[in-house]
Amino acid sequence: MTFLQLKDVSFTYPNGFQAVQHINMQFDLGESVAIIGQNGAGKTTTVKLMNALLKPTSGEVLINGENTSKFTTAQVSKKVGYVFQNPDDQIFHSDIYSEIAFGPKNQKLSASEVKEKALHAAELCGLTKWLEEHPYNLPYAMRKFITIAAVIAMDTDIIILDEPTAGQDRHATKLLVDLINHLTAQGKTVITITHDMEFVANHFNRVIVMAEKQVLRDANAREVFWDHELLGKSHLKQPYISQLAYSLNLNEPIITLDEMVSAIKRRINS
Amino acid sequence: MSMITMKNVYYQYPLEKEQVLKNINLSIEKGKVYGLVGHNDAGKTTLCNVIRGFIPSFYRGKLTGEIELDGKTIQEYSMGDLATRIGYSFQNPFTQISGVKETVFEEIAYGLENLGTAPEVIGEKVRELIAMFKLDALQEKNPFELSGGQKQRVALAAIIALDPEVIVIDEPTSQLDPQGTEEIFKIIDLMKKKGKTIILVEHKIDLIAAYVDEVIVMSQGEIKMIGKTSEVFTNKEVLTYGGQLPQVALLSLALQNAGITMPTIPITLVEAQQAIEKILSREV
C-alpha cells in the first residue's frame, strides 16, 4: 500500500528558481529505493518536499493518504526523517549522545525510552564507543553517521539519506547496507540519494532516475544501468563492471562482480 | 626532485591521548600525482593539514619530526608563504566558501584580490577558470545557492586561481555525480601537465587507479604502503588495512577464487578488457 506519495509536485524557490517540475513518486512501507541523477537534477529538493522542509508550489505530498500541507513541518518530521547531505548543517550538540537523543527527547518520550532509542541508534551506526565525544572530534565521514543515528532515534516511518556514501570507506559502506536492511526489515521505508553507481547496482532493486528537474525513470537497477539512452540523457554512467561487460560485448546486462565472474566462467566452460 | 619530505613525523592533537600520525616518512616528488587512501579516520586529512602547515599553526598539539618543502624546513616559511605555495581544497566545500562574496565569479576572484593582483589579470584568470570548470551558467549565482557538487567545483577553482605549486585536495568529488567527478579528474590531469605536485585524498579507487602516479595507503595513523599505482593496487594487502582495490582488481581476485587466473592483475578498465579477452580467446 502506498504510504508516501508525491502527486504532480513542482517547486519554485522564492528567488524564482524552479527546482523540480511535475514530480510523481510513490513509496510503500518497507521499501528501499535509490534516487540517482546529476548534480542539480532536483534530488535534494524532492526529498525536502517529502518531509515538508519545503512545501510544494503546486501538487500534493500525501502521507498515508493525507495531504501534508495540513500539517506543520514539525508534525511531518515525526513521520519522515531526513539526514542532511552536509552533516554540519545538522549537528549542534557538544557530545554525540545528546545529539542522537535530541530527537526522541523532543518527541516527549520518557527518559528511559529516550535512552533506549538513542543507544540503539548509536549501536546501529557503530558509534557506541564515542558517545561522550564532541561530534567535531570525529572526521567528516563519521559525523555523517552521527546524523544518521539522530534520525534513526526518532523512529520515523520514512528515513531519507542524502548522499550517505560520500567519502565513506569500505567498512562504512557495509555498515550503511546493513543499516538499510535492518530498517526496511522493520517495515520502514529508506530513500537514499547517491552518486555511487556501484553501491546502487549492488544493493538496490528500485532506482529512480532524475534529470533536469524531473523523474525520467522508476525501474529496477539492471534496467536503468543498461538503458544507454537513459544514462546519456541523465548524464549518468554504468557501474564499472557493466562498462567492462559492455566493452567485452558479453551481451548480458551484468551489474555486479559475481554476475561477471559467472559470465566468464560460463564462456570458458562452453 | 623531492618537493615535500617528511622524516619521523608524529602528531598528537591537543587534549588527545593518542598520536594520530605515527612515524611518517615520506618523499613527495615534484610534478607527480599522489593518491592518499585509507579507511575513515586513518589520518589522511591530518596528514594534509601537516603538509600545508595548518598543523601546528592553527591546530596546536604536539608535532615532532622534520618536514621540508622545496629544500627548506617548513618553519622557515611564513604562514602566508605556505598558503600561496600549497593550495588546499577542503573536504567539506561548505567550510571553504568564504561567505563574504555575492557571486561565484567574485568567490573565485577572492584569493587573487587578497594577493593584490591587478583587476584585469584577475578578470582574465577567473574567466579562464570558469570555462575550465564549466561554471558559466553559475557565475552570477550566490555560492550558497549552489548544490553540494557545484560548491565543490567552485571551491577547487578558487584554489587553482592562486596557482600554487603544490595542490592538496581532500576528497574533491565526494558530492559530485559521475560526470562531474570525471571532469575534476581531468582538471587534476591538466594541473599535472602544468607541472604541479598534487596530493589527492579520494575514496573513488577506480578513478585513482586511472589517474595517479603513486599511491599512499594509510591506516591508523601510519603509512602502510607507498609505491607506484600499478604495484599498490595489484596487492591485496591493501584490503587488510581497510583500504579498497579497483573493481577490476577485485574481479581478478574473484576469478582467481573461481579457478581462473588472469595473466596480470588489471587496475583499469582497458587493462581488464585486454586480460579477459585473452582468457576468453584461450591465449592463456
Side-chain angles (χ1 to χ4, degrees), chain A residues 23-41:
Chain A
I23 301 286
N24 286 292
M25 288 182 185
Q26 43 190 30
F27 303 92
D28 296 342
L29 282 179
E31 262 196 298
S32 169
V33 184
I35 301 182
I36 61 176
Q38 215 185 357
N39 288 119

Side-chain angles (χ1 to χ4, degrees), chain A residues 102-122:
Chain A
F102 177 76
K105 249 184 210 161
N106 264 2
Q107 290 171 331
K108 308 269 186 283
L109 299 175
S110 71
S112 63
E113 277 176 306
V114 169
K115 194 171 174 192
E116 190 195 317
K117 290 202 164 165
L119 291 180
H120 178 63

Side-chain angles (χ1 to χ4, degrees), chain A residues 38-39 167-170 268, chain B residues 40 171 175 177 203 239 243:
Chain A
Q38 215 185 357
N39 288 119
Q168 300 293 359
D169 64 13
R170 191 157 52 94
I268 287 180
Chain B
N40 292 345
E171 293 196 33
Q175 296 173 38
D177 56 51
H203 282 291
L239 298 173

Side-chain angles (χ1 to χ4, degrees), chain B residues 3 30 70 84-87 163-167 195-198:
Chain B
M3 190 71 190
K30 197 172 173 155
D70 211 3
T84 48
R85 299 195 68 165
I86 304 180
D163 202 24
E165 293 160 72
V166 181
I167 307 174
K196 306 287 179 197
T197 306
I198 300 164

Side-chain angles (χ1 to χ4, degrees), chain A residues 209 216-217 223-224 227-236:
Chain A
V209 181
L216 280 196
R217 185 69 59 84
E223 199 180 307
V224 165
D227 185 335
H228 291 280
E229 195 190 329
L230 172 72
L231 295 176
K233 257 194 219 163
S234 50
H235 304 283
L236 291 172

Side-chain angles (χ1 to χ4, degrees), chain A residues 15 38-39 85-86 88 140-141 163 166-170 172 195 235 237 240 243-244 247 267-268 270, chain B residues 39-40 92 94 145 171 174-177 179 182 203 206-207 239 243-244 247 251 269 273 279 282:
Chain A
N15 65 4
Q38 215 185 357
N39 288 119
Q85 186 173 1
N86 178 9
D88 303 345
Y140 181 85
E163 294 193 25
Q168 300 293 359
D169 64 13
R170 191 157 52 94
H195 286 307
H235 304 283
K237 304 199 91 166
Y240 284 93
Q243 288 179 39
L244 184 59
S247 59
R267 276 172 171 74
I268 287 180
S270 68
Chain B
H39 57 80
N40 292 345
N92 184 354
F94 300 85
E145 281 174 34
E171 293 196 33
S174 61
Q175 296 173 38
L176 287 176
D177 56 51
Q179 205 178 39
E182 286 217 348
H203 282 291
D206 301 274
L207 279 164
L239 298 173
Q244 180 63 295
Q247 288 284 315
L251 174 67
L269 276 175
Q273 188 189 340
I279 292 174
R282 302 179 198 252

Side-chain angles (χ1 to χ4, degrees), chain A residues 33-81:
Chain A
V33 184
I35 301 182
I36 61 176
Q38 215 185 357
N39 288 119
K43 305 182 298 294
T44 296
T45 301
T46 301
V47 297
K48 282 184 176 169
L49 287 158
M50 292 178 188
N51 82 333
L53 269 177
L54 300 174
K55 301 266 168 118
T57 313
S58 66
E60 294 177 339
V61 178
L62 307 171
I63 294 177
N64 226 351
E66 290 198 86
N67 193 327
T68 56
S69 66
K70 285 189 277 187
F71 303 105
T72 63
T73 302
Q75 283 169 325
V76 176
S77 73
K78 287 179 188 163
K79 303 263 182 210
V80 184

Side-chain angles (χ1 to χ4, degrees), chain A residues 8 127 129 133 161 186 189 221:
Chain A
D8 198 27
L127 294 167
K129 61 177 172 178
E133 287 278 339
L161 306 173
Q186 284 187 326
T189 303

